[in-house]
Amino acid sequence: MRIVSVISVLIISALSIVSITFIKLENAVLAGGDLYRVENFPSQYITPRPVDVWLPDNYSEDKKYAVLYMHDGQNLFDSTTTWNKQEWKVDEWATQLMAEAKVKDFIVVGIHNIPQIRWQDLFPQKAFQILDMSVQEKLLEAAVNANMNTKFNGDNYLRFLVEELKPVIDKTYSVHTTRDYTYVMGSSMGGLMSMYAVSEYPNVFGGAGCLSTHWPGAAPKEDNPFPEAIFNYMEANLPESGNHKLYFDYGNKTLDQYYPQYAPRLNKILKTKGYTVKNAKNLFFEGTDHSEQSWNKRLDEPLLFLLGK
């Protein structure tokens, strides 16, 4: 059964009754499936923004689908509308892998970023709080002097995903709602946030795909306190092996050139947590850079690893 071009659902919150309307993007350039959008998804936690839902070919209410939540939603499907004319090719890979019966049937939920506050939304907030207070104050002072927004909002971003967005998706679409069918994925800062999502909500997300994870946390520089804080957070909060799959990767060109040095530290944390090649990967892709053009060439790797049958 095909989904209609407009889908509405009433959400009753503690504050009000909100109508959420998903409108099919008739002009979206896709390799398969259909794309629906809520232009300004309401939230009491983060700045409202577009949210896209991609449904595969022959989507049917007669069966259940896994759900993949992805950050930077405006860069996932249609290169004709992106700022750099690149895309992740999510619809290409998802359509192909499902047609080949190599992965579970799944839908994709893409949360758009707001460029001016993307860093504040996606930085793993509790990692900053691990830093000594004197270091925190120094970093905040430097940010204020640079006229930067110093409001960390990563925890609220996750509350939006878990408390506001996921209930709407679960109610609107024919999906599995449990951890074993719920995944999160992103690149760069989105990679950090995907790790953070699994760590903060291990009973909600069963797996994370973290491509070109931005371990420097901000602009790479000497004596950067962020990587150590992020890894210390992971040592304390990353879920133990058993119920999750974790995918990481990195290249060595452009911004990715700063990432290989952190691979041994990540590998050690994964090993300490009990992960093996069966439920965790940290892959190196020689000669690849920090762009959708690189990520779309290897997107099959995390999709197969996380959603493979």
Side-chain angles (χ1 to χ4, degrees):
M1 181 178 69
R2 299 300 293 172
I3 206 77
V4 294
S5 60
V6 177
I7 305 171
S8 295
V9 60
L10 287 177
I11 301 300
I12 302 176
S13 71
L15 300 176
S16 62
I17 298 176
V18 181
S19 177
I20 308 290
T21 301
F22 298 85
I23 299 176
K24 183 177 178 180
L25 300 184
E26 300 289 353
N27 296 323
V29 180
L30 302 171
D34 295 308
L35 194 62
Y36 293 78
R37 177 169 298 168
V38 177
E39 282 295 346
N40 284 287
F41 202 104
S43 174
Q44 61 180 318
Y45 298 123
I46 64 172
T47 304
R49 67 202 59 203
V51 171
D52 292 342
V53 174
W54 178 83
L55 304 181
D57 290 326
N58 301 315
Y59 170 86
S60 172
E61 296 284 347
D62 296 330
K63 61 181 178 180
K64 296 289 186 180
Y65 295 78
V67 185
L68 174 61
Y69 291 88
M70 297 188 70
H71 315 294
D72 301 319
Q74 63 262 55
N75 299 328
L76 303 179
F77 306 104
D78 184 355
S79 64
T80 67
T81 63
T82 62
W83 69 274
N84 59 2
K85 303 306 177 185
Q86 299 181 24
E87 59 165 299
W88 281 64
K89 295 188 176 181
V90 173
D91 48 312
E92 282 88 343
W93 279 115
T95 299
Q96 177 183 330
L97 294 175
M98 276 188 265
E100 295 171 350
K102 292 181 177 179
V103 294
K104 303 171 186 175
D105 291 322
F106 68 99
I107 72 170
V108 180
V109 179
I111 304 96
H112 287 219
N113 71 58
I114 298 175
Q116 295 84 353
I117 54 172
R118 178 176 180 269
W119 187 87
Q120 289 82 357
D121 280 344
L122 297 182
F123 187 87
Q125 190 169 343
K126 289 186 175 64
F128 181 79
Q129 296 165 357
I130 287 176
L131 293 168
D132 289 340
M133 188 59 66
S134 61
V135 176
Q136 291 185 36
E137 292 173 352
K138 184 178 180 181
L139 289 169
L140 290 173
E141 181 181 1
V144 169
N145 291 338
N147 199 30
M148 293 177 60
N149 184 336
T150 59
K151 180 185 177 183
F152 288 90
N153 213 35
D155 288 349
N156 276 336
Y157 181 86
L158 283 182
R159 291 186 72 181
F160 162 71
L161 258 66
V162 173
E163 297 179 21
E164 297 179 328
L165 179 57
K166 186 177 185 296
V168 172
I169 298 301
D170 291 350
K171 184 173 182 178
T172 308
Y173 296 100
S174 182
V175 297
H176 294 284
T177 62
T178 58
R179 174 184 62 194
D180 292 343
Y181 292 88
T182 307
Y183 307 88
V184 59
M185 185 184 295
S187 64
S188 194
M189 293 300 297
L192 285 180
M193 179 47 66
S194 299
M195 173 278 295
Y196 196 52
V198 168
S199 300
E200 290 294 296
Y201 292 92
N203 294 324
V204 175
F205 300 103
C210 312
L211 286 71
S212 293
T213 309
H214 190 58
W215 301 117
K221 64 177 183 178
E222 295 287 335
D223 300 320
N224 181 3
F226 283 135
E228 187 65 20
I230 292 167
F231 289 128
N232 286 341
Y233 168 83
M234 293 177 67
E235 288 174 341
N237 296 282
L238 194 71
E240 299 285 338
S241 172
N243 297 313
H244 300 84
K245 286 188 174 182
L246 303 176
Y247 173 95
F248 299 89
D249 71 22
Y250 57 102
N252 59 353
K253 300 297 181 182
T254 63
L255 195 56
D256 272 42
Q257 70 182 287
Y258 299 100
Y259 302 160
Q261 62 184 303
Y262 301 112
R265 181 66 183 276
L266 173 61
N267 290 337
K268 182 179 179 180
I269 293 172
L270 293 174
K271 183 177 180 180
T272 300
K273 294 284 184 176
Y275 288 91
T276 69
V277 293
K278 293 182 179 180
N279 52 18
K281 286 190 175 185
N282 184 23
L283 303 180
F284 172 56
F285 291 89
E286 172 69 45
T288 60
D289 64 17
H290 198 83
S291 71
E292 288 82 7
Q293 292 287 58
S294 287
W295 303 323
N296 70 32
K297 288 181 173 62
R298 64 181 191 256
L299 183 58
D300 57 322
E301 292 276 357
L303 290 179
L304 285 167
F305 183 67
L306 296 174
L307 290 140
K309 290 184 175 180

